[in-house]
Amino acid sequence: MTMGDEELYASMALPGVILPILEELQRRDPEATRSLKAAFIKAEAQHPGFTYDLVTGILQKAEIENSVDMSECMLRLAGTNTCTDLQILSDEELLKVLNDRSINLKKILSRIPDEIFDRKKFLDTIKDTASAIRMLLDSVNGIFHLIDGPYKQNLEMRKKEFVRYSRNFSNTLKEFFRDGEKQSVFLSANHLVNQTNLLMKTVKDALN
């Protein structure tokens, strides 16, 4: 695993692993869960990568770190993640559609580990991914008028990053059909998941 891979997983660990668990626990003990969530967010802000280090530390303690494919696990988890921290809670229809489309893209990407060596299913997933990317970008373009001036530039920059990683994903798929290297596809798909999360966070921050 390269340093770049670890930076990616460090960025994904809190929103992709811990926050969805805490959201489930919140139904049982809301007050304790809020305190725990605040502590994780503070720790991650002060020490970026804290959550990832915790997760890998648990795997090492259990002596299973070498048997866990982090890239595949992160990608699979993305498809089950409907955490409200990655959504904009609003009655505005355009924002509801944006939420749905971001979740849908991640669900489609999460199918890749199961379908990558089934050519027909994988080609369908690639088509679905391309369509989901276009629809998400359409939704982002459609909400610019809801964003105040100073934040529009931030959103435009984040959208450009999303497009760049989308193109990287497309190029990685071309390479996969030449060399059959699945890990590169998993990694590129995870980058796209992460960029989707960052895009949603940028919109959420702009509207708060």
Side-chain angles (χ1 to χ4, degrees), residues 16-166:
V17 180
I18 299 299
L19 292 184
I21 294 172
L22 293 180
E23 192 159 288
E24 289 293 322
L25 293 175
Q26 191 165 354
R27 300 169 188 172
R28 294 162 54 183
D29 192 335
E31 186 174 346
T33 304
R34 278 195 297 271
S35 297
L36 189 55
K37 177 180 173 182
F40 265 103
I41 291 173
K42 182 178 180 180
E44 190 67 35
Q46 294 179 348
H47 306 283
F50 168 83
T51 309
Y52 176 69
D53 289 342
L54 176 65
V55 172
T56 54
I58 293 171
L59 295 176
Q60 289 168 3
K61 190 69 175 177
E63 298 182 349
I64 58 172
E65 73 273 18
N66 293 327
S67 62
V68 173
D69 185 330
M70 188 65 70
S71 190
E72 181 176 340
C73 285
M74 287 293 193
L75 193 53
R76 288 182 183 278
L77 284 171
T80 64
N81 189 353
T82 56
C83 179
T84 55
D85 287 86
L86 299 173
Q87 299 180 43
I88 299 108
L89 303 181
S90 171
D91 293 329
E92 170 62 54
E93 187 62 28
L94 290 173
L95 296 175
K96 289 180 180 179
V97 172
L98 178 64
N99 285 331
D100 290 343
R101 289 179 174 180
S102 69
I103 291 170
N104 183 54
L105 174 57
K106 289 185 286 186
K107 284 184 176 179
I108 293 169
L109 290 168
S110 75
R111 290 165 17 197
I112 289 175
D114 287 329
E115 299 178 353
I116 192 165
F117 291 120
D118 183 321
R119 187 176 179 86
K120 183 179 183 305
K121 286 184 178 180
F122 190 40
L123 289 173
D124 287 340
T125 294
I126 292 171
K127 292 176 185 176
D128 291 344
T129 301
S131 176
I133 288 171
R134 286 194 299 271
M135 293 176 72
L136 180 57
L137 285 171
D138 284 347
S139 284
V140 172
N141 290 331
I143 57 98
F144 263 92
H145 69 282
L146 301 175
I147 308 296
D148 289 335
Y151 294 100
K152 285 185 177 179
Q153 185 176 2
N154 291 343
L155 181 56
E156 186 63 43
M157 291 175 61
R158 179 56 61 196
K159 189 184 79 169
K160 287 180 179 178
E161 277 292 282
F162 177 86
V163 170
R164 183 168 72 87
Y165 278 94
S166 298

